[in-house]
Coordinates of all heavy atoms in Angstrom, one line a residue:
I861 N 21.5 149.0 86.8 CA 21.2 147.7 86.1 C 21.9 146.6 86.9 O 23.1 146.6 87.1 CB 21.7 147.7 84.7 CG1 21.0 148.8 83.9 CG2 21.5 146.3 84.0 CD1 21.5 148.9 82.5
P862 N 21.1 145.6 87.4 CA 21.7 144.6 88.2 C 22.5 143.6 87.3 O 22.2 143.4 86.1 CB 20.6 143.9 88.9 CG 19.4 144.2 88.0 CD 19.7 145.6 87.4
D863 N 23.6 143.0 87.8 CA 24.4 142.1 87.1 C 23.8 140.7 87.3 O 23.7 140.2 88.4 CB 25.8 142.1 87.6 CG 26.7 141.2 86.8 OD1 26.3 140.7 85.8 OD2 27.9 141.0 87.3
T864 N 23.3 140.1 86.2 CA 22.7 138.7 86.3 C 23.8 137.6 86.3 O 23.4 136.5 86.6 CB 21.8 138.5 85.2 OG1 22.5 138.6 83.9 CG2 20.6 139.5 85.2
G865 N 25.0 137.9 86.0 CA 26.1 136.9 86.0 C 26.2 136.1 84.7 O 27.1 135.4 84.5
T866 N 25.2 136.3 83.8 CA 25.3 135.6 82.5 C 25.2 136.6 81.4 O 24.3 137.4 81.4 CB 24.2 134.5 82.4 OG1 23.0 135.1 82.5 CG2 24.4 133.4 83.4
P867 N 26.0 136.5 80.4 CA 25.9 137.4 79.3 C 24.7 137.1 78.4 O 24.2 136.0 78.5 CB 27.2 137.2 78.5 CG 27.6 135.8 78.9 CD 27.2 135.6 80.3
D868 N 24.3 138.0 77.6 CA 23.2 137.8 76.6 C 23.8 137.0 75.5 O 24.6 137.5 74.7 CB 22.6 139.1 76.1 CG 21.9 139.9 77.1 OD1 21.5 139.2 78.1 OD2 21.7 141.1 77.0
I869 N 23.4 135.7 75.4 CA 24.0 134.8 74.4 C 22.8 134.4 73.5 O 21.8 134.0 73.9 CB 24.6 133.5 75.0 CG1 25.7 133.9 76.0 CG2 25.0 132.6 74.0 CD1 26.3 132.8 76.8
N870 N 23.1 134.5 72.2 CA 22.1 134.1 71.2 C 22.8 133.0 70.4 O 24.0 132.9 70.3 CB 21.8 135.2 70.2 CG 21.1 136.4 70.9 OD1 20.3 136.2 71.8 ND2 21.3 137.6 70.4
S871 N 21.9 132.0 69.9 CA 22.5 131.0 69.1 C 21.7 131.0 67.7 O 20.5 131.4 67.7 CB 22.3 129.6 69.7 OG 21.0 129.3 69.9
T872 N 22.4 130.6 66.7 CA 21.8 130.6 65.4 C 22.0 129.3 64.7 O 23.2 128.7 64.8 CB 22.5 131.7 64.5 OG1 22.3 133.0 65.1 CG2 21.8 131.7 63.1
E873 N 21.0 128.7 64.1 CA 21.1 127.4 63.5 C 20.5 127.6 62.1 O 19.4 128.1 61.9 CB 20.3 126.4 64.2 CG 20.4 125.0 63.6 CD 19.6 124.0 64.3 OE1 18.3 124.0 64.2 OE2 20.2 123.2 65.1
T874 N 21.3 127.1 61.0 CA 20.8 127.2 59.7 C 20.9 125.8 59.1 O 21.8 125.1 59.2 CB 21.7 128.2 58.8 OG1 21.7 129.4 59.4 CG2 21.2 128.3 57.4
K875 N 19.7 125.5 58.4 CA 19.6 124.2 57.7 C 19.4 124.5 56.2 O 18.6 125.3 55.9 CB 18.5 123.4 58.2 CG 18.7 122.9 59.7 CD 17.5 122.1 60.2 CE 17.7 121.7 61.6 NZ 16.6 120.9 62.1
R876 N 20.2 123.8 55.4 CA 20.0 124.1 53.9 C 19.8 122.8 53.2 O 20.3 121.7 53.6 CB 21.3 124.7 53.4 CG 21.6 126.0 53.9 CD 22.9 126.6 53.3 NE 23.3 127.8 54.0 CZ 24.2 127.9 54.9 NH1 24.9 126.9 55.3 NH2 24.5 129.1 55.4
F877 N 19.0 122.9 52.1 CA 18.7 121.7 51.3 C 18.7 122.1 49.8 O 18.2 123.2 49.5 CB 17.4 121.1 51.7 CG 17.0 119.9 50.9 CD1 17.6 118.7 51.1 CD2 16.1 120.0 49.9 CE1 17.3 117.6 50.4 CE2 15.7 118.9 49.1 CZ 16.3 117.7 49.4
M878 N 19.3 121.3 48.9 CA 19.4 121.7 47.5 C 19.1 120.4 46.7 O 19.5 119.3 47.0 CB 20.8 122.2 47.2 CG 21.1 122.4 45.7 SD 22.8 122.9 45.4 CE 23.7 121.6 46.1
I879 N 18.2 120.6 45.7 CA 17.9 119.5 44.8 C 17.6 120.0 43.4 O 17.1 121.1 43.3 CB 16.7 118.6 45.3 CG1 16.6 117.3 44.5 CG2 15.5 119.5 45.3 CD1 15.6 116.4 45.2
G880 N 17.9 119.3 42.4 CA 17.5 119.7 41.0 C 18.1 118.8 39.9 O 19.1 118.1 40.2
P881 N 17.6 118.9 38.7 CA 18.1 118.1 37.6 C 19.3 118.7 37.0 O 19.5 119.9 37.0 CB 16.9 118.0 36.6 CG 16.2 119.3 36.9 CD 16.4 119.6 38.4
V882 N 20.2 117.8 36.4 CA 21.4 118.2 35.7 C 21.4 117.5 34.4 O 21.1 116.3 34.3 CB 22.6 117.9 36.5 CG1 23.9 118.3 35.7 CG2 22.6 118.6 37.8
I883 N 21.7 118.2 33.3 CA 21.9 117.6 32.0 C 23.3 118.0 31.5 O 23.7 119.1 31.7 CB 20.8 117.9 31.0 CG1 20.8 117.1 29.7 CG2 20.8 119.4 30.7 CD1 19.6 117.2 28.8
G884 N 23.9 117.0 30.8 CA 25.2 117.3 30.2 C 25.6 116.4 29.1 O 24.9 115.5 28.7
A885 N 26.8 116.8 28.5 CA 27.3 116.0 27.4 C 28.8 116.0 27.5 O 29.4 116.8 28.1 CB 26.9 116.7 26.1
E886 N 29.4 114.9 26.9 CA 30.8 114.8 27.0 C 31.4 114.3 25.6 O 30.7 113.4 25.0 CB 31.1 113.7 28.1 CG 32.5 113.7 28.6 CD 32.7 112.9 29.8 OE1 31.7 112.2 30.2 OE2 33.8 112.9 30.4
F887 N 32.5 114.8 25.2 CA 33.1 114.5 23.9 C 34.5 113.9 24.2 O 35.3 114.6 24.8 CB 33.1 115.7 23.0 CG 33.9 115.4 21.7 CD1 33.4 114.6 20.8 CD2 35.2 116.0 21.5 CE1 34.1 114.4 19.6 CE2 35.9 115.8 20.4 CZ 35.3 114.9 19.4
F888 N 34.8 112.7 23.8 CA 36.1 112.1 23.9 C 37.0 112.5 22.7 O 36.7 112.0 21.6 CB 36.0 110.6 24.1 CG 35.5 110.2 25.4 CD1 34.1 110.1 25.6 CD2 36.4 109.9 26.4 CE1 33.6 109.7 26.8 CE2 35.9 109.5 27.7 CZ 34.5 109.4 27.9
F889 N 37.9 113.4 22.9 CA 38.8 113.8 21.8 C 40.1 113.1 21.7 O 40.9 113.2 20.8 CB 39.0 115.3 21.8 CG 39.7 115.9 23.0 CD1 41.1 115.9 23.1 CD2 38.9 116.3 24.1 CE1 41.7 116.4 24.2 CE2 39.5 116.8 25.2 CZ 40.9 116.9 25.3
A890 N 40.3 112.2 22.7 CA 41.5 111.3 22.7 C 41.1 110.1 23.6 O 40.1 110.1 24.2 CB 42.7 112.1 23.3
K891 N 42.0 109.1 23.6 CA 41.7 107.9 24.4 C 41.5 108.2 25.9 O 40.7 107.6 26.5 CB 42.8 106.9 24.2 CG 42.6 105.6 24.8 CD 43.7 104.6 24.5 CE 43.3 103.2 25.1 NZ 44.4 102.2 24.9
H892 N 42.3 109.1 26.5 CA 42.2 109.4 27.9 C 41.7 110.8 28.3 O 41.7 111.1 29.4 CB 43.6 109.2 28.5 CG 44.1 107.8 28.4 ND1 43.7 106.8 29.2 CD2 45.1 107.3 27.6 CE1 44.3 105.7 28.9 NE2 45.2 106.0 27.9
F893 N 41.2 111.5 27.3 CA 40.8 112.9 27.6 C 39.4 113.1 27.0 O 39.0 112.7 25.9 CB 41.7 113.9 26.9 CG 43.1 114.0 27.6 CD1 44.1 113.3 27.1 CD2 43.2 114.8 28.8 CE1 45.4 113.4 27.7 CE2 44.5 114.9 29.4 CZ 45.5 114.2 28.9
S894 N 38.6 113.9 27.8 CA 37.3 114.3 27.3 C 37.0 115.7 27.7 O 37.6 116.3 28.6 CB 36.2 113.4 27.9 OG 36.0 113.7 29.3
F895 N 36.1 116.4 26.9 CA 35.7 117.7 27.2 C 34.1 117.7 27.3 O 33.5 117.0 26.5 CB 36.1 118.7 26.1 CG 35.7 120.1 26.2 CD1 36.3 120.9 27.2 CD2 34.6 120.6 25.5 CE1 35.8 122.2 27.3 CE2 34.2 121.9 25.6 CZ 34.8 122.7 26.6
G896 N 33.6 118.4 28.2 CA 32.1 118.3 28.4 C 31.6 119.6 29.0 O 32.3 120.5 29.4
G897 N 30.3 119.6 29.1 CA 29.6 120.7 29.7 C 28.3 120.2 30.4 O 27.8 119.1 30.1
E898 N 27.8 121.0 31.3 CA 26.6 120.6 32.0 C 25.8 121.8 32.4 O 26.3 122.9 32.5 CB 26.8 119.7 33.2 CG 27.6 120.4 34.3 CD 28.0 119.5 35.5 OE1 28.0 118.3 35.3 OE2 28.1 120.0 36.6
F899 N 24.5 121.6 32.5 CA 23.5 122.7 32.9 C 22.6 122.1 34.0 O 22.1 121.0 33.9 CB 22.7 123.1 31.7 CG 21.6 124.1 32.1 CD1 21.9 125.4 32.2 CD2 20.3 123.7 32.3 CE1 21.0 126.3 32.5 CE2 19.3 124.6 32.6 CZ 19.6 125.9 32.7
A900 N 22.5 122.9 35.1 CA 21.7 122.5 36.2 C 20.6 123.5 36.6 O 20.9 124.7 36.5 CB 22.5 122.2 37.4
L901 N 19.5 123.1 37.0 CA 18.4 124.0 37.5 C 18.2 123.5 39.0 O 17.7 122.4 39.2 CB 17.1 123.9 36.7 CG 15.9 124.7 37.3 CD1 16.2 126.2 37.3 CD2 14.7 124.4 36.4
K902 N 18.6 124.3 40.0 CA 18.5 123.8 41.3 C 17.5 124.6 42.2 O 17.4 125.8 42.0 CB 19.9 123.9 42.0 CG 20.9 123.0 41.3 CD 22.3 123.0 41.9 CE 23.2 122.1 41.2 NZ 24.6 122.2 41.8
N903 N 16.9 123.9 43.1 CA 16.0 124.6 44.0 C 16.7 124.5 45.4 O 17.0 123.5 45.9 CB 14.7 123.8 44.1 CG 13.7 124.4 45.1 OD1 13.9 125.5 45.6 ND2 12.7 123.7 45.4
Y904 N 16.9 125.7 45.9 CA 17.6 125.9 47.3 C 16.5 126.2 48.3 O 15.6 127.0 48.0 CB 18.6 127.0 47.2 CG 19.8 126.7 46.4 CD1 19.9 127.1 45.1 CD2 20.9 126.2 47.0 CE1 21.0 126.8 44.4 CE2 22.1 125.9 46.3 CZ 22.1 126.3 45.0 OH 23.2 126.0 44.3
S905 N 16.7 125.6 49.5 CA 15.8 125.9 50.6 C 16.6 126.1 51.8 O 17.5 125.3 52.1 CB 14.8 124.7 50.8 OG 14.0 125.0 51.9
A906 N 16.4 127.1 52.6 CA 17.2 127.4 53.8 C 16.3 127.9 54.9 O 15.3 128.6 54.7 CB 18.3 128.4 53.5
K907 N 16.6 127.4 56.1 CA 15.8 127.8 57.3 C 16.8 128.2 58.4 O 17.6 127.4 58.8 CB 14.9 126.7 57.8 CG 14.0 127.0 59.0 CD 13.1 125.9 59.3 CE 13.3 125.4 60.6 NZ 12.3 124.3 61.0
T908 N 16.7 129.4 58.9 CA 17.6 129.9 59.9 C 16.7 130.2 61.1 O 15.7 130.9 61.1 CB 18.3 131.2 59.5 OG1 19.0 131.0 58.3 CG2 19.2 131.7 60.5
T909 N 17.2 129.7 62.3 CA 16.5 129.9 63.5 C 17.5 130.6 64.5 O 18.6 130.2 64.7 CB 16.1 128.6 64.2 OG1 15.3 127.8 63.2 CG2 15.3 128.8 65.4
R910 N 17.0 131.8 65.0 CA 17.8 132.5 66.0 C 17.1 132.4 67.3 O 15.9 132.7 67.5 CB 17.8 134.0 65.6 CG 18.7 134.2 64.4 CD 18.6 135.7 63.9 NE 19.6 136.1 62.9 CZ 19.6 135.7 61.7 NH1 18.8 134.7 61.3 NH2 20.5 136.1 60.8
I911 N 17.8 131.9 68.3 CA 17.3 131.6 69.6 C 17.9 132.6 70.6 O 19.1 132.7 70.7 CB 17.5 130.2 70.1 CG1 16.9 129.2 69.0 CG2 17.0 129.9 71.4 CD1 17.3 127.8 69.2
S912 N 17.1 133.3 71.4 CA 17.5 134.3 72.4 C 17.5 133.6 73.8 O 16.5 132.9 74.0 CB 16.7 135.5 72.4 OG 16.7 136.1 71.1
N913 N 18.4 134.0 74.6 CA 18.3 133.5 76.0 C 17.4 134.4 76.8 O 16.9 135.4 76.3 CB 19.7 133.3 76.6 CG 20.3 134.7 76.9 OD1 19.8 135.7 76.6 ND2 21.5 134.6 77.6
G914 N 17.2 134.1 78.0 CA 16.2 134.9 78.8 C 16.6 136.3 79.1 O 15.8 137.1 79.4
N915 N 17.9 136.6 79.0 CA 18.4 138.0 79.3 C 18.2 138.9 78.1 O 18.3 140.1 78.2 CB 19.8 138.0 79.7 CG 20.0 137.2 81.0 OD1 19.1 137.2 81.9 ND2 21.1 136.6 81.2
N916 N 18.0 138.4 76.9 CA 17.9 139.2 75.7 C 16.4 139.5 75.4 O 15.6 138.6 75.3 CB 18.5 138.4 74.5 CG 18.7 139.3 73.3 OD1 18.0 140.2 73.0 ND2 19.8 139.0 72.5
P917 N 16.1 140.7 75.3 CA 14.7 141.1 75.1 C 14.1 140.7 73.7 O 12.9 140.7 73.5 CB 14.6 142.6 75.3 CG 16.0 143.0 74.9 CD 16.9 141.9 75.3
S918 N 15.0 140.5 72.7 CA 14.5 140.2 71.3 C 14.0 138.8 71.3 O 14.5 137.8 71.9 CB 15.6 140.4 70.3 OG 16.6 139.4 70.5
P919 N 12.8 138.5 70.6 CA 12.2 137.2 70.6 C 13.0 136.3 69.6 O 13.8 136.7 68.8 CB 10.8 137.5 70.1 CG 11.0 138.7 69.2 CD 12.1 139.5 69.9
N920 N 12.6 135.0 69.7 CA 13.2 134.0 68.8 C 12.6 134.3 67.4 O 11.5 134.7 67.3 CB 12.8 132.6 69.2 CG 13.4 132.2 70.5 OD1 14.3 132.8 71.0 ND2 12.9 131.1 71.1
R921 N 13.4 134.1 66.4 CA 13.0 134.3 65.0 C 13.3 133.1 64.1 O 14.3 132.4 64.4 CB 13.7 135.6 64.4 CG 13.2 136.8 65.0 CD 13.8 138.0 64.3 NE 15.0 137.7 63.5 CZ 15.9 138.6 63.1 NH1 15.7 139.9 63.4 NH2 16.9 138.3 62.4
E922 N 12.5 132.9 63.1 CA 12.7 131.9 62.1 C 12.6 132.5 60.7 O 11.6 133.2 60.5 CB 11.7 130.8 62.3 CG 12.0 129.6 61.4 CD 11.1 128.4 61.8 OE1 11.3 127.7 62.7 OE2 10.1 128.3 61.0
E923 N 13.6 132.3 59.9 CA 13.5 132.9 58.5 C 13.6 131.7 57.6 O 14.4 130.8 57.7 CB 14.7 133.8 58.3 CG 14.8 135.0 59.2 CD 16.0 135.8 58.9 OE1 16.8 135.5 58.0 OE2 16.3 136.7 59.8
K924 N 12.8 131.7 56.6 CA 12.8 130.7 55.5 C 13.0 131.3 54.2 O 12.4 132.3 53.9 CB 11.4 129.9 55.5 CG 11.2 129.1 56.8 CD 9.9 128.4 56.7 CE 9.6 127.6 58.0 NZ 8.4 126.9 57.9
N925 N 13.9 130.7 53.4 CA 14.2 131.2 52.0 C 14.1 130.1 51.1 O 14.7 129.0 51.3 CB 15.6 131.9 52.0 CG 15.7 133.1 52.9 OD1 14.9 134.0 52.7 ND2 16.6 133.1 53.8
N926 N 13.5 130.3 49.9 CA 13.4 129.3 48.8 C 13.7 130.1 47.5 O 13.2 131.2 47.3 CB 12.1 128.7 48.7 CG 11.8 127.7 49.8 OD1 12.6 126.9 50.1 ND2 10.7 127.9 50.5
F927 N 14.6 129.5 46.7 CA 14.9 130.2 45.4 C 15.4 129.1 44.4 O 15.9 128.1 44.8 CB 15.8 131.4 45.5 CG 17.2 131.1 46.1 CD1 18.2 130.8 45.3 CD2 17.4 131.1 47.5 CE1 19.5 130.5 45.8 CE2 18.6 130.8 48.0 CZ 19.7 130.5 47.1
F928 N 15.3 129.5 43.1 CA 15.8 128.6 42.1 C 17.1 129.3 41.6 O 17.3 130.5 41.6 CB 14.8 128.5 40.9 CG 13.8 127.5 41.2 CD1 12.5 127.9 41.7 CD2 13.9 126.2 41.0 CE1 11.5 127.1 42.0 CE2 12.9 125.3 41.2 CZ 11.7 125.7 41.7
S929 N 18.0 128.4 41.1 CA 19.3 128.9 40.6 C 19.7 128.1 39.4 O 19.4 126.9 39.3 CB 20.4 128.8 41.6 OG 21.7 129.0 41.1
T930 N 20.3 128.7 38.4 CA 20.9 127.9 37.3 C 22.4 127.9 37.4 O 23.0 128.9 37.8 CB 20.5 128.5 35.9 OG1 20.9 129.9 35.8 CG2 19.0 128.5 35.7
E931 N 23.0 126.8 37.1 CA 24.4 126.7 37.1 C 24.9 126.0 35.8 O 24.2 125.1 35.3 CB 24.8 125.8 38.3 CG 24.5 126.5 39.6 CD 24.9 125.7 40.8 OE1 25.7 124.7 40.7 OE2 24.5 126.0 42.0
T932 N 26.0 126.4 35.3 CA 26.6 125.8 34.2 C 28.1 125.4 34.5 O 28.7 126.0 35.4 CB 26.6 126.7 33.0 OG1 27.3 127.9 33.3 CG2 25.2 127.1 32.5
G933 N 28.6 124.4 33.8 CA 30.0 124.0 34.0 C 30.6 123.4 32.8 O 29.9 122.8 32.0
L934 N 31.9 123.7 32.6 CA 32.7 123.1 31.6 C 33.7 122.1 32.3 O 34.3 122.4 33.3 CB 33.5 124.1 30.8 CG 32.6 125.1 30.0 CD1 33.5 126.1 29.3 CD2 31.8 124.3 29.0
L935 N 33.9 120.9 31.7 CA 34.7 119.9 32.3 C 35.8 119.4 31.3 O 35.5 119.2 30.1 CB 33.8 118.7 32.7 CG 32.6 119.0 33.5 CD1 31.7 117.8 33.5 CD2 33.0 119.4 34.9
L936 N 37.0 119.3 31.8 CA 38.0 118.6 31.1 C 38.5 117.5 32.0 O 39.0 117.7 33.1 CB 39.2 119.6 30.9 CG 40.4 119.1 30.1 CD1 40.0 118.6 28.7 CD2 41.5 120.1 30.0
R937 N 38.3 116.3 31.5 CA 38.6 115.1 32.3 C 39.7 114.2 31.7 O 39.9 114.1 30.5 CB 37.4 114.2 32.4 CG 36.3 114.9 33.2 CD 35.2 113.9 33.5 NE 34.2 114.5 34.4 CZ 32.9 114.3 34.3 NH1 32.4 113.5 33.4 NH2 32.1 114.9 35.1
F938 N 40.5 113.6 32.6 CA 41.5 112.7 32.2 C 41.1 111.3 32.8 O 40.8 111.2 34.0 CB 42.9 113.1 32.8 CG 44.0 112.1 32.6 CD1 44.5 111.9 31.4 CD2 44.4 111.3 33.7 CE1 45.5 110.9 31.2 CE2 45.3 110.3 33.5 CZ 45.9 110.1 32.3
Y939 N 41.1 110.3 32.0 CA 40.8 108.9 32.4 C 42.1 108.1 32.4 O 42.8 108.2 31.4 CB 39.7 108.3 31.5 CG 38.4 109.0 31.6 CD1 38.1 110.1 30.8 CD2 37.5 108.6 32.5 CE1 36.8 110.7 30.9 CE2 36.2 109.2 32.7 CZ 35.9 110.3 31.8 OH 34.7 110.9 31.9
F940 N 42.2 107.2 33.4 CA 43.4 106.4 33.4 C 43.3 105.2 32.4 O 42.3 104.7 32.2 CB 43.5 105.8 34.9 CG 43.9 106.8 35.9 CD1 42.9 107.6 36.4 CD2 45.1 106.9 36.4 CE1 43.2 108.6 37.4 CE2 45.4 107.8 37.4 CZ 44.4 108.7 37.8

């Protein structure tokens, strides 16, 4: 096997995007404190590109992923 002088180098690039509505409520139980919760339905989108150099026999690849996710949260806030 001849030595080409350059190693097989691959690069990977991932781009992500997320968007979705959130609804929530908050209850003030004191002048400076509140307790609340929220619910979110989010759409995630990701695209990963793998680029091979000329010495690597594997071709360039592109993967796309889309999925929905639900998230919940409880909040305890202090206001000045």
Side-chain angles (χ1 to χ4, degrees):
I861 299 176
D863 183 11
T864 61
T866 58
D868 292 340
I869 299 174
N870 294 329
S871 64
T872 302
E873 179 182 81
T874 301
K875 295 180 181 178
R876 296 181 186 103
F877 181 74
M878 173 182 57
I879 191 168
V882 177
I883 189 168
E886 196 169 8
F887 173 72
F888 287 85
F889 60 88
K891 185 176 180 181
H892 297 284
F893 289 96
S894 71
F895 178 75
E898 63 185 27
F899 175 80
L901 176 63
K902 296 183 180 178
N903 180 13
Y904 290 90
S905 176
K907 181 173 120 178
T908 301
T909 305
R910 290 175 171 62
I911 301 171
S912 302
N913 71 355
N915 297 329
N916 192 329
S918 65
N920 296 346
R921 289 189 338 200
E922 185 174 281
E923 298 174 12
K924 295 181 181 179
N925 296 304
N926 290 306
F927 60 93
F928 283 95
S929 171
T930 57
E931 296 180 10
T932 58
L934 295 177
L935 309 166
L936 180 62
R937 291 187 174 145
F938 171 76
Y939 293 92
F940 293 78

